[in-house]
Amino acid sequence: MRSIVITSIQPPTPSVVAMTAKAAQIGMRVIVVGDRKTPSVTWPNGVDFISLSDQSDLPYSLPTKLPIDHYSRKNIGYLIAVSRGSALIYDTDDDNSPLDSWSARTLAAQAHPVLGSGWINAYRHFSDMHIWPRGLPLDKARHEMRDLEIGALTQIVAPIQQGLANGSPDVDAVWRLLFDQEVTFHDEDSLLLPAGAWCPFNSQSTWWFPEAYPLLYLPSFVSFRMTDIWRSFVAQRCLWALGHGVVFHSAEMYQDRNPHNLLRDFELEVPGYLENDRIRSVLEQAALPPGQGEVTGNLHRCYDALIKAGLIPAEEMKLVEAWIDDINGCQLAAWN
């Protein structure tokens, strides 16, 4: 069993239809998490649509605590996928279509490790354009990939792998307001960001494997434009305690972006522009014990550190703890 998780407030988009058809070819099933605005329509074969009323009937504690009309309701789709025993979860959005090259990733990957630390603009490895990922601090946006030393191609284990998207990739509102244009990334070898190297990754095209499932949690009491980015920072820090780093792949999706108000996006990204570097610092200083048995504990420790630093409201912890209870239960159910 392998799953694709999407959330949508629209009827089935051409991207979802294309994703579902491609998934069926390789035996993957699509879970679509609805919200209050999602219309009542028929979804394609191969899609399990989870309506708002369906969500309240699930045997989890988190759904009733999650805010309505928030992207974090996608957490429910992750729980369903884990409870089904999914050996792989692909995280994407309803405006992303698979390229011909798209296929299910494996836990083993080949990648060039970055031989450095601090903020890394991974996009520069795949493009000569002046472009950076959403969540990279603006004062690092001029960072050039050629300033980094890259190691030889290496076989690794990678529980979280980020694929890029052509067309309208995941960039911040500043980039769109200044440079907005069609993007086609180069087809390059993959890149590994080991411990100490930071780059935001998103929920647009990301592969998750069971070792990292507890790190899927999307926070609710943060800006909509930062929920998956701040998740990525917590996940990277927790991966280091497992002896792993995040891998970036060349483009495997095409994004035909849903309509956005760019100034509204900018407003929602301001907390990231101001605080992302401080979040990195707080997480680097967090004492996380190593080992698979510490993953949920380390997730809790990271959010506790961010809350104590005043970066995330204290209300988030009740949801983190509900998620930990639910994900532990889902994993036990899947194993039995």
Side-chain angles (χ1 to χ4, degrees), residues 63-279:
T64 58
K65 297 178 173 62
L66 291 170
I68 304 295
D69 299 331
H70 196 286
Y71 191 69
S72 65
R73 297 202 73 82
K74 201 175 190 181
N75 286 318
I76 297 167
Y78 306 144
L79 291 173
I80 292 171
V82 173
S83 71
R84 292 178 176 178
S86 294
L88 169 65
I89 294 175
Y90 183 62
D91 196 16
T92 188
D93 289 330
D94 65 359
D95 53 1
N96 285 264
S97 300
L99 299 176
D100 290 341
S101 60
W102 182 92
S103 187
R105 296 282 179 182
T106 60
L107 180 59
Q110 287 192 326
H112 293 278
V114 172
L115 305 180
S117 60
W119 290 107
I120 305 298
N121 180 358
Y123 283 14
R124 290 293 300 160
H125 180 63
F126 302 96
S127 178
D128 297 323
M129 297 176 63
H130 185 197
I131 187 170
W132 60 91
R134 175 169 56 97
L136 190 73
L138 288 178
D139 60 345
K140 309 299 181 184
R142 294 185 61 84
H143 185 84
E144 298 288 341
M145 201 65 200
R146 62 174 176 262
D147 294 336
L148 298 173
E149 186 179 356
I150 308 298
L153 196 63
T154 303
Q155 184 84 5
I156 56 169
V157 171
I160 303 177
Q161 303 176 33
Q162 168 82 79
L164 302 189
N166 287 336
S168 184
D170 195 55
V171 293
D172 62 29
V174 171
W175 191 90
R176 293 196 191 283
L177 288 165
L178 295 176
F179 306 114
D180 201 16
Q181 59 184 292
E182 183 91 356
V183 175
T184 300
F185 288 107
H186 301 325
D187 187 14
E188 301 284 354
D189 289 337
S190 301
L191 191 71
L192 167 67
L193 272 67
W198 294 87
C199 184
F201 67 84
N202 55 64
S203 57
Q204 187 176 53
S205 177
T206 315
W207 304 91
W208 296 75
F209 292 86
E211 191 174 2
Y213 282 172
L215 307 179
L216 277 159
Y217 175 75
L218 289 164
S220 293
F221 290 94
V222 303
S223 163
F224 164 74
R225 294 287 291 170
M226 286 296 108
T227 180
D228 59 335
I229 299 302
W230 289 1
R231 170 182 74 174
S232 81
F233 297 152
V234 171
Q236 284 173 79
R237 180 65 185 90
C238 291
L239 274 185
W240 300 352
L242 289 170
H244 301 304
V246 174
V247 166
F248 281 77
H249 298 296
S250 57
E252 53 193 16
M253 299 289 275
Y254 182 90
Q255 187 186 49
D256 184 11
R257 195 173 193 242
N258 293 325
H260 278 243
N261 180 323
L262 293 182
L263 288 179
R264 175 59 176 161
D265 282 355
F266 174 82
E267 179 183 12
L268 293 173
E269 291 169 6
V270 166
Y273 299 141
L274 297 178
E275 302 291 4
N276 284 354
D277 198 50
R278 186 168 166 233
I279 288 174

Side-chain angles (χ1 to χ4, degrees), residues 32-38 49-58 63 66-69 73 76:
V32 176
V33 181
D35 210 331
R36 183 163 46 190
K37 298 177 183 177
T38 312
F49 175 69
I50 315 299
S51 69
L52 200 57
S53 60
D54 293 334
Q55 295 164 32
S56 63
D57 294 333
L58 293 169
L66 291 170
I68 304 295
D69 299 331
R73 297 202 73 82
I76 297 167

